[in-house]
Amino acid sequence: MKKSILFGLFFMLTSLMYAQSPIGIWKTIDDETKQAKSYVEIFEKDGKLYGKVTKILTKGKEDAKCTDCSGALKNKPILGMQILSGLKKDGKEWNGGKILDPNSGKEYKAKMSLNGNDKLDVRGFIGISLVGRTQTWQRVK
């Protein structure tokens, strides 16, 4: 009996912790087409958040490569590619990192914030945050 109560309490605390954190798997939604594009797994490493593509949802693009990327990412598969890097918690936001758009090969400054428990507003921008665009990703359960 004690074990099941402890397990239930542990499960509830873990659920609450991750519900208030962007760590987990998110469905990316294109801000222009409103179509689901991929799953991105956000994880923590050395106190910073990173994200990699774990599934491509667009039919016919499952094996797409980043043809417009430069350097080591040129012509690499998008599936498995790290597209978010170095985001640090700052109050209710995570910022100071970068996001890669594998369709254009361009990298932008990034910030993100939770929008409730199951939505994540991810903003990529050039220079200042006013010059950019935001996507709202949905938590995958």
Side-chain angles (χ1 to χ4, degrees), residues 27-37 133-136 138:
K27 184 187 313 180
T28 68
I29 308 294
D30 188 285
D31 56 305
E32 294 171 346
T33 66
K34 307 300 183 216
Q35 298 296 310
K37 292 173 59 176
R133 58 187 241 211
T134 302
Q135 290 184 345
T136 300
Q138 299 171 353

mmCIF file of all heavy atoms in Angstrom, residues 27-37 133-136 138:
data_model
loop_
_atom_site.group_PDB
_atom_site.id
_atom_site.type_symbol
_atom_site.label_atom_id
_atom_site.label_comp_id
_atom_site.label_asym_id
_atom_site.label_seq_id
_atom_site.Cartn_x
_atom_site.Cartn_y
_atom_site.Cartn_z
ATOM 1 N N LYS A 27 5.027 19.136 -30.888
ATOM 2 C CA LYS A 27 4.648 19.132 -32.297
ATOM 3 C C LYS A 27 4.802 20.559 -32.815
ATOM 4 O O LYS A 27 4.199 21.485 -32.276
ATOM 5 C CB LYS A 27 3.197 18.683 -32.472
ATOM 6 C CG LYS A 27 2.777 18.568 -33.929
ATOM 7 C CD LYS A 27 1.294 18.292 -34.128
ATOM 8 C CE LYS A 27 0.746 17.217 -33.261
ATOM 9 N NZ LYS A 27 -0.697 16.988 -33.490
ATOM 10 N N THR A 28 5.650 20.732 -33.832
ATOM 11 C CA THR A 28 5.852 22.070 -34.398
ATOM 12 C C THR A 28 4.727 22.377 -35.360
ATOM 13 O O THR A 28 4.319 21.531 -36.147
ATOM 14 C CB THR A 28 7.211 22.185 -35.114
ATOM 15 O OG1 THR A 28 7.204 21.364 -36.285
ATOM 16 C CG2 THR A 28 8.359 21.787 -34.201
ATOM 17 N N ILE A 29 4.221 23.596 -35.293
ATOM 18 C CA ILE A 29 3.142 24.056 -36.154
ATOM 19 C C ILE A 29 3.666 25.256 -36.936
ATOM 20 O O ILE A 29 4.099 26.244 -36.340
ATOM 21 C CB ILE A 29 1.896 24.474 -35.333
ATOM 22 C CG1 ILE A 29 1.479 23.364 -34.348
ATOM 23 C CG2 ILE A 29 0.759 24.880 -36.256
ATOM 24 C CD1 ILE A 29 0.974 22.096 -34.976
ATOM 25 N N ASP A 30 3.630 25.167 -38.257
ATOM 26 C CA ASP A 30 4.104 26.263 -39.098
ATOM 27 C C ASP A 30 3.203 27.475 -38.902
ATOM 28 O O ASP A 30 1.979 27.373 -39.000
ATOM 29 C CB ASP A 30 4.097 25.832 -40.565
ATOM 30 C CG ASP A 30 4.754 26.850 -41.466
ATOM 31 O OD1 ASP A 30 4.113 27.901 -41.717
ATOM 32 O OD2 ASP A 30 5.877 26.604 -41.921
ATOM 33 N N ASP A 31 3.798 28.634 -38.611
ATOM 34 C CA ASP A 31 3.007 29.837 -38.337
ATOM 35 C C ASP A 31 2.353 30.395 -39.593
ATOM 36 O O ASP A 31 1.381 31.139 -39.492
ATOM 37 C CB ASP A 31 3.873 30.917 -37.669
ATOM 38 C CG ASP A 31 5.093 31.265 -38.472
ATOM 39 O OD1 ASP A 31 5.877 30.351 -38.797
ATOM 40 O OD2 ASP A 31 5.292 32.447 -38.773
ATOM 41 N N GLU A 32 2.828 30.020 -40.770
ATOM 42 C CA GLU A 32 2.228 30.523 -42.008
ATOM 43 C C GLU A 32 1.146 29.582 -42.535
ATOM 44 O O GLU A 32 0.055 30.004 -42.870
ATOM 45 C CB GLU A 32 3.317 30.734 -43.061
ATOM 46 C CG GLU A 32 4.283 31.861 -42.664
ATOM 47 C CD GLU A 32 5.492 31.955 -43.578
ATOM 48 O OE1 GLU A 32 5.747 31.011 -44.358
ATOM 49 O OE2 GLU A 32 6.186 32.981 -43.497
ATOM 50 N N THR A 33 1.439 28.268 -42.598
ATOM 51 C CA THR A 33 0.481 27.315 -43.168
ATOM 52 C C THR A 33 -0.452 26.707 -42.120
ATOM 53 O O THR A 33 -1.453 26.104 -42.471
ATOM 54 C CB THR A 33 1.227 26.160 -43.860
ATOM 55 O OG1 THR A 33 1.938 25.397 -42.869
ATOM 56 C CG2 THR A 33 2.175 26.677 -44.929
ATOM 57 N N LYS A 34 -0.073 26.821 -40.837
ATOM 58 C CA LYS A 34 -0.820 26.235 -39.709
ATOM 59 C C LYS A 34 -0.799 24.701 -39.744
ATOM 60 O O LYS A 34 -1.593 24.054 -39.078
ATOM 61 C CB LYS A 34 -2.274 26.741 -39.656
ATOM 62 C CG LYS A 34 -2.414 28.255 -39.665
ATOM 63 C CD LYS A 34 -1.736 28.894 -38.504
ATOM 64 C CE LYS A 34 -1.954 30.393 -38.501
ATOM 65 N NZ LYS A 34 -0.844 31.148 -38.046
ATOM 66 N N GLN A 35 0.103 24.123 -40.506
ATOM 67 C CA GLN A 35 0.222 22.679 -40.606
ATOM 68 C C GLN A 35 1.278 22.156 -39.626
ATOM 69 O O GLN A 35 2.297 22.796 -39.403
ATOM 70 C CB GLN A 35 0.632 22.276 -42.035
ATOM 71 C CG GLN A 35 -0.368 22.664 -43.098
ATOM 72 C CD GLN A 35 -1.690 21.953 -42.918
ATOM 73 O OE1 GLN A 35 -1.745 20.741 -42.756
ATOM 74 N NE2 GLN A 35 -2.778 22.711 -42.933
ATOM 75 N N ALA A 36 1.017 20.969 -39.087
ATOM 76 C CA ALA A 36 2.002 20.310 -38.233
ATOM 77 C C ALA A 36 3.147 19.843 -39.119
ATOM 78 O O ALA A 36 2.925 19.289 -40.192
ATOM 79 C CB ALA A 36 1.363 19.128 -37.523
ATOM 80 N N LYS A 37 4.394 20.098 -38.672
ATOM 81 C CA LYS A 37 5.553 19.776 -39.507
ATOM 82 C C LYS A 37 6.437 18.680 -38.927
ATOM 83 O O LYS A 37 6.964 17.870 -39.668
ATOM 84 C CB LYS A 37 6.394 21.034 -39.721
ATOM 85 C CG LYS A 37 5.696 22.079 -40.567
ATOM 86 C CD LYS A 37 6.445 23.382 -40.651
ATOM 87 C CE LYS A 37 7.814 23.230 -41.217
ATOM 88 N NZ LYS A 37 8.534 24.481 -41.407
ATOM 89 N N ARG A 133 9.592 36.025 -36.009
ATOM 90 C CA ARG A 133 8.285 35.377 -36.068
ATOM 91 C C ARG A 133 8.185 34.314 -34.982
ATOM 92 O O ARG A 133 9.193 33.775 -34.531
ATOM 93 C CB ARG A 133 7.994 34.808 -37.436
ATOM 94 C CG ARG A 133 8.965 33.806 -37.952
ATOM 95 C CD ARG A 133 8.666 33.436 -39.383
ATOM 96 N NE ARG A 133 8.389 32.040 -39.475
ATOM 97 C CZ ARG A 133 8.659 31.289 -40.523
ATOM 98 N NH1 ARG A 133 9.201 31.825 -41.580
ATOM 99 N NH2 ARG A 133 8.390 30.020 -40.529
ATOM 100 N N THR A 134 6.949 34.045 -34.589
ATOM 101 C CA THR A 134 6.671 33.113 -33.499
ATOM 102 C C THR A 134 5.853 31.946 -33.994
ATOM 103 O O THR A 134 4.895 32.123 -34.750
ATOM 104 C CB THR A 134 5.914 33.824 -32.364
ATOM 105 O OG1 THR A 134 6.700 34.927 -31.897
ATOM 106 C CG2 THR A 134 5.613 32.886 -31.216
ATOM 107 N N GLN A 135 6.235 30.756 -33.561
ATOM 108 C CA GLN A 135 5.431 29.566 -33.771
ATOM 109 C C GLN A 135 4.947 29.084 -32.419
ATOM 110 O O GLN A 135 5.679 29.181 -31.436
ATOM 111 C CB GLN A 135 6.248 28.440 -34.411
ATOM 112 C CG GLN A 135 6.631 28.676 -35.844
ATOM 113 C CD GLN A 135 7.367 27.477 -36.440
ATOM 114 O OE1 GLN A 135 7.826 26.582 -35.733
ATOM 115 N NE2 GLN A 135 7.477 27.470 -37.750
ATOM 116 N N THR A 136 3.722 28.567 -32.374
ATOM 117 C CA THR A 136 3.205 27.976 -31.149
ATOM 118 C C THR A 136 3.198 26.474 -31.346
ATOM 119 O O THR A 136 2.491 25.960 -32.210
ATOM 120 C CB THR A 136 1.788 28.497 -30.823
ATOM 121 O OG1 THR A 136 1.866 29.920 -30.653
ATOM 122 C CG2 THR A 136 1.264 27.863 -29.555
ATOM 123 N N GLN A 138 2.791 22.483 -29.861
ATOM 124 C CA GLN A 138 1.882 21.774 -28.965
ATOM 125 C C GLN A 138 2.586 20.592 -28.340
ATOM 126 O O GLN A 138 3.268 19.840 -29.037
ATOM 127 C CB GLN A 138 0.652 21.304 -29.738
ATOM 128 C CG GLN A 138 -0.143 22.429 -30.333
ATOM 129 C CD GLN A 138 -1.226 21.943 -31.277
ATOM 130 O OE1 GLN A 138 -1.319 20.770 -31.595
ATOM 131 N NE2 GLN A 138 -2.053 22.864 -31.730
#
